[in-house]
Amino acid sequence: MNRPLEQLRLLMAERHMDAYLVPACDDHQSEYFSDYFAATRFLSHFTGEACTLVITAEEAMLWTDGRFFIQAEEQMDPAFTLCRMGTEGVPTVDEYLANTLPAGGCLGFDGRLVTVRQMKTWREALKEKNIRFAWEEDLVGTVWPDRPALTSKPAFLLDLCYAGKSASEKLADLRAEMKKAQADVHLLTSLDDIAWLFNLRGDDIPCNPVALSYAVITGETATLFLREGASDKALEEALRAEGVTLGNYDAVYDCAAALPAGSRILVDESKVNMALTSRLPEGCQLVPAANPTTLMKSIKNETEIQNILGCHVKDGVAMVKFIYWLKTHIGRERITEISASDVLEGFRREQPLNRGLSFETIAGYGPHGAMMHYMATPETDAELVPEGFLLVDSGGQYLDGTTDITRTIVLGPVTDEQKRHFTAVVRGMLNLANARFLEGCSGLSLDYLARQPMWEMGIDYRCGTGHGVGFLLNVHEGPQSFFWKSRPGRENVALAPGMVTTDEPGIYLDYCYGIRTENELLCVRDEKNEYGQFLHFRHITFCPIDLDGLDKQYMTAEEVRLLNEYHALVYETLKDHLPEAEAAWLREATRAI
């Protein structure tokens, strides 16, 4: 029996709640979050970062997307029913609530975990049933006796030699956008936006160098709210010199309540929680818009770009050392998914300016590679043998950038079908990277280039093809992406020079194997003519693609040329940074085909 689930149901009955909803997030709508906020994991035992739980007196439902279907099946408590998002016949969370809640019923949730936009959606979807919303209590916290503590680690400021722009300059740019929106105040709650705006970095979320924080910006003032222990006198003085005042983390709610009545407040309704906006005085008007900082930080400045290029050289060196080690040790000593991940992390930590991983390494051997966000545990840690594929998706945090790379490594004999699939994935990655397009195009327009080789075989992958990457920040960053399907609430943001976006098509055959090849691409200007400004991409990931998995017969002459050009770039970029043995191996690994 799932005792916490039953305890939660008792509390629901006492409060006359017909359903209680638990999203996987923190108060800031972070994709990844500290253990304090892992309520969905505590209740369901599912460790994936994307899910929503709905508990009623009779049912416990878990929604997750295609990246996690297999993982959820294997991990979640049997008391829960899996709802595969985007699958035909499976209701959305909102549809389930509309069909399940009785007229005049009550939906409970922690209001700090639910956005203003989501609240609006529920009010509209459930208005005919006259549903009552009870959001003032965190019921999961009540039944979680050994809940981990909320973190409060020291924060630091990123030096201008890395950031390229001061906090005061960024605040001036932000205030210009506030003026355009006719906003008096900007309420900023997303941790990566705050980190970028103030050149602040922290350690409150594993692998994501952010500090738990809020910010309130007006035309004249900027207040940064941090947890006690996150700042010291030096940090306070440095921020004060940039026109920033520090406040206590929890005091943001009182600050919101004290804003002048009639204020026009700019909020990103998909990120600000409704518990915070509920504290605003009557007469305040919300100005809904995406946080201006989200687009600003996605367009890297020249200093950031130069740093990122150097960062990727170091990361490429670590990756080449790892692949060389794996190729020369497989079958000669015992290697597992976890031990291989540890070796790769060790190579990264040897690199100058490294500050750890940008996410927990995904190392999936054989069938585990088909689970897009697989995390090896001592119970699942597979031993690697000299056959088949090892999919390794990994990245590093450096003072001069953030990396994200996937390589599928051939450990021994593979079938003709595996080679055909491997080749299709490589073709998709190269074709998207080779795109030339007019300014104004979004990833919606270009995603087909990556998927075409798979779609021709009647195969697809249940996720986007690419996402933005931060600068010593979140490895998944908006607003741009590569995805063919228009999604409600997600604008199709145009690609712009300075954006860094991943290019990562894949093939995932459940319980068989997975293949992914991922590079990061920098968007740069091409020619400008009577038709407009053309743009193209530049590879900034430097690591060979395993030629042992390729079958040239499935490639066009142009695709062969693209692969050979990319491999020549990798060799020339990395050869002088490697020991003799690794450099010699790299020459062979990047040979023209």
Side-chain angles (χ1 to χ4, degrees), residues 2 22 27 29 81 90 110 162 168 192 233 293 299 306 345 350 355 364 368 381 385 391-394 403 406 439 461:
N2 187 320
V22 186
D27 296 0
Q29 294 298 307
T81 299
V90 175
D110 182 348
Y162 303 118
S168 55
D192 54 333
K233 190 171 182 180
T293 47
I299 300 174
Q306 291 308 308
E345 180 175 352
E350 291 175 356
R355 294 186 64 88
H368 289 164
D381 188 22
V385 296
L391 187 156
V392 180
D393 186 352
S394 65
T403 67
T406 306
E439 193 168 45
Y461 44 95

Side-chain angles (χ1 to χ4, degrees), residues 56 75 89 207 541:
T56 69
Q75 288 183 337
C207 301
T541 297

Side-chain angles (χ1 to χ4, degrees), residues 250-271:
D250 293 320
V252 68
Y253 287 88
D254 291 335
C255 178
L259 290 172
S263 296
R264 288 175 53 83
I265 304 171
L266 177 64
V267 297
D268 188 332
E269 293 186 330
S270 67
K271 295 182 178 180

Side-chain angles (χ1 to χ4, degrees), residues 193-226:
D193 285 296
I194 294 170
W196 177 85
L197 178 62
F198 296 103
N199 290 334
L200 181 82
R201 299 297 188 271
D203 193 24
D204 284 333
I205 296 178
C207 301
N208 291 6
V210 296
L212 291 175
S213 52
Y214 295 97
V216 177
I217 299 100
T218 72
E220 299 77 32
T221 65
T223 306
L224 174 63
F225 299 87
L226 293 173

Side-chain angles (χ1 to χ4, degrees), residues 138-154:
D138 172 16
L139 294 190
V140 180
T142 304
V143 301
W144 194 351
D146 55 349
R147 187 175 196 170
L150 192 60
T151 54
S152 182
K153 297 181 180 179

Side-chain angles (χ1 to χ4, degrees), residues 1-20 22 43 53-62 77-81 96 139-140 142-143:
M1 183 180 75
N2 187 320
R3 183 165 177 77
L5 187 61
E6 296 308 313
Q7 291 175 322
L8 180 64
R9 284 180 167 137
L10 289 174
L11 293 177
M12 291 168 55
E14 290 175 4
R15 290 153 177 78
H16 305 289
M17 294 178 183
D18 298 285
Y20 194 81
V22 186
L43 286 175
L53 310 181
V54 175
I55 293 97
T56 69
E58 295 82 24
E59 295 181 312
M61 315 296 285
L62 185 154
D77 188 282
F80 282 83
T81 299
Y96 177 82
L139 294 190
V140 180
T142 304
V143 301

Side-chain angles (χ1 to χ4, degrees), residues 405 407 426 429-430 433 517-521 538-545 559-574 590:
I405 175 176
R407 287 297 182 266
V426 173
M429 189 278 287
L430 292 171
T517 300
E518 175 187 16
N519 276 9
E520 288 184 33
L521 307 176
R538 173 183 176 183
H539 287 286
I540 59 173
T541 297
F542 308 109
C543 181
I545 294 164
E559 289 165 348
V560 171
R561 181 187 70 81
L562 291 174
L563 177 64
N564 288 338
E565 281 188 358
Y566 174 67
H567 271 163
L569 171 67
V570 170
Y571 181 70
E572 289 301 316
T573 301
L574 298 183
T590 57

